[in-house]
Amino acid sequence: MNQINYQKELDKLLTMQEERLSRGEAAPALFLHCCCAPCASYVLEYLCRYFRITAFYYNPNISASKEYEKRAAELKRLIEAYNREKKGYPIEIAEGDYEPERFLEAVRGLEKCPEGGERCFRCYELRLRETARRAAEGKYDYFCTTLSISPLKNAEKINEIGQALAPEYGVAWLPSDFKKKNGYKRSVELSAKYGLYRQNYCGCAFSVREGRELPPASSGNQ
């Protein structure tokens, strides 16, 4: 079975969207889950020309409240800068509740699972389900996440979960693998440009324990 190239799927969709915009059609609304400002930097820059985006900060996996608040503040600061610079359509922001207990309940029994395995998949599903639910409530056209920009995240699994949730909530899933086309490299460049705080772990206590380091900016360019 051939692996789906989600970046090519997104390219096709954006080409059609560009044609619609050129005909004067309204830009569709995208409810975009954002894990942090560095990951969001490239994705927002890339997509705000095609969509009216609401950046949704919902990350109950972050174990320390100060870390959670710091990442939320950095995302807001980045979006304010982008809107001042008028990179595309204005970007709005929505913040979910900080619910670390929901994350712990979702991954119960998987505490010793290696980083990048089933525990992470449960975390993806938790955050994407809340994103899909909020997108349906707000009558958005699409929902998506910035998670796939990280070379440490499983883009195939992220898309699989998103596609499964789409019919359940009645909102289209935007296919993506944002690390492609030098996306991860660009996020590193934008982080430097805007002086963004770049954490070196996912956010949960388990990722701190694993101590996985992000690879160099040249990774994930194909």
Side-chain angles (χ1 to χ4, degrees), residues 12-64:
K12 292 176 188 175
L13 193 152
L14 294 183
T15 297
M16 291 188 291
Q17 180 55 29
E18 203 163 31
E19 292 172 356
R20 294 188 186 105
L21 291 173
S22 69
R23 295 196 297 267
E25 296 183 23
L30 169 65
F31 201 64
L32 177 69
H33 167 259
C34 296
C35 52
C36 62
C39 289
S41 61
Y42 164 72
V43 180
L44 291 172
E45 179 187 64
Y46 180 33
L47 296 182
C48 69
R49 296 171 292 155
Y50 305 97
F51 300 96
R52 290 177 289 113
I53 301 173
T54 296
F56 179 46
Y57 184 75
Y58 177 70
N59 298 289
N61 58 304
I62 301 176
S63 56

Side-chain angles (χ1 to χ4, degrees), residues 63-221:
S63 56
S65 60
K66 287 186 178 179
E67 179 72 17
Y68 179 92
E69 292 163 3
K70 186 172 185 177
R71 296 189 196 188
E74 284 292 87
L75 179 63
K76 292 171 185 176
R77 183 169 70 85
L78 174 70
I79 289 172
E80 287 173 0
Y82 276 14
N83 285 338
R84 283 196 305 270
E85 295 168 10
K86 298 181 179 179
K87 285 181 173 284
Y89 292 100
I91 302 164
E92 297 184 358
I93 188 163
E95 186 172 350
D97 296 327
Y98 180 41
E99 305 172 310
E101 68 282 355
R102 284 193 68 186
F103 167 74
L104 293 174
E105 180 60 32
V107 303
R108 191 177 303 280
L110 298 170
E111 291 86 354
K112 295 183 180 179
C113 182
E115 189 76 0
E118 184 60 32
R119 186 182 63 242
C120 292
F121 300 162
R122 294 273 186 92
C123 182
Y124 300 164
E125 199 273 343
L126 172 63
R127 291 188 275 178
L128 284 175
R129 181 172 290 281
E130 183 66 8
T131 303
R133 186 185 72 79
R134 294 285 192 102
E137 283 184 353
K139 301 187 184 304
Y140 285 79
D141 300 296
Y142 294 92
F143 75 105
C144 190
T145 179
T146 61
L147 286 169
S148 70
I149 197 169
S150 171
L152 299 180
K153 298 291 188 291
N154 187 321
E156 184 174 5
K157 191 67 180 180
I158 290 166
N159 280 278
E160 178 185 307
I161 292 169
Q163 288 169 336
L165 291 171
E168 183 177 343
Y169 288 92
V171 183
W173 167 251
L174 190 72
S176 60
D177 189 353
F178 292 119
K179 70 179 68 65
K180 303 289 188 178
K181 298 180 71 172
N182 285 317
Y184 177 68
K185 180 175 182 290
R186 178 61 177 160
S187 75
V188 174
E189 294 170 351
L190 288 167
S191 295
K193 177 181 177 180
Y194 292 95
L196 299 177
Y197 162 61
R198 283 182 61 83
Q199 66 283 348
N200 62 358
Y201 70 106
C202 177
C204 73
F206 310 110
S207 62
V208 174
R209 180 190 68 197
E210 293 272 338
R212 297 179 83 196
E213 293 288 338
L214 283 167
S218 59
S219 298
N221 298 335

